[in-house]
Amino acid sequence: MDNLLSHKNSGDPIIVKVKDIDIGREKKVVISGPCAVEDYDTMILLAKKLKSCGVNILRGGAFKPRTSPYDFQGLEEKGLEILKAVREEVNIPISTEIMDPRDIEKSLEYIDVIQVGSRNMYNYSLLKEIGRLKTPVILKRGISATIKEWLCAAEYILSGGNENVIFCERGIRTFEPYTRNTLDLNAVAFIKNNYRLPIIVDPSHGTGVRELVYPMSLASIAAGADGLIIESHLNPDKSISDAKQTISVDTLCDIINKIK
Ligand code: PEP
Ligand code: MN
């Protein structure tokens, strides 16, 4: 373990580059967009608003890992097409989740950052395939993963030759039912103190509660996070997935103004 994960005492922080955006420097990076890509018209309008309030990278799921197989599974290739069109028109980098190693190759022309979702942190075939690339990857923490298991998952990607790993704390499953997950800010401070790779926080999945996204965004930055990934929507209550944790563009702008 830890053969390639760079320890803090072995040098300066590692900066992961997404186009011209540096993740891991003093300046905090904000990634935002809907849980799922829904349609072109709302995505383009949202992307323009997000960019103008300082969002650095646009997110949106084309392949959605849903607990129930009967829930909306994402627009898949059509979702990727929408993301690509928005990227070109708005000139903003794109981050999206890839679940199946067979989807990696075709996705590369559409996106700038690959998200490994919480449910796939243990998908070692996926991690090995992503390790062969140079594309930056947001590695979300598994829903019940220890920090060590999470570090090992990063090691799978790093040992394949892809050094562009960004950790993402997105809450872990605990005994507490009032929030969707328990945002483990200990892990953020721990990784910042001990390792050189960047780490961001997802307070949307970390809380599951819209009203908690603002305070936990600030808490994440205070704990040392290099940035945030937040679900936002033009009409949060109408979001196809994760509506309860999705915030408005106005709230997102408030968060950005506060942290920057
Ligand atoms: C998401 O980002 O929409 C998502 C499914 O997140 P997670 O993998 O953290 O549950
Ligand atoms: Mn979501």
Side-chain angles (χ1 to χ4, degrees), residues 34-36 59-61 63-66 97 115-120 140-141 143 168-171 180-181 202 205-206 229 231 241-242 245:
C35 178
R59 65 149 286 155
F63 304 97
K64 294 308 301 176
R66 304 305 297 279
E97 174 166 0
Q115 276 171 239
V116 173
S118 190
R119 292 156 190 80
N120 276 303
K140 288 194 155 199
R141 184 179 184 179
I143 220 151
C168 177
E169 165 60 38
R170 48 79 70 206
R180 181 178 178 180
N181 291 294
D202 174 350
H205 294 86
I229 177 165
E231 288 181 341
S241 56
D242 287 347
Q245 68 195 35

Side-chain angles (χ1 to χ4, degrees), residues 121-133:
M121 191 209 83
Y122 294 106
N123 183 343
Y124 299 121
S125 320
L126 179 70
L127 301 178
K128 282 182 189 170
E129 279 305 314
I130 291 174
R132 292 187 226 282
L133 312 171

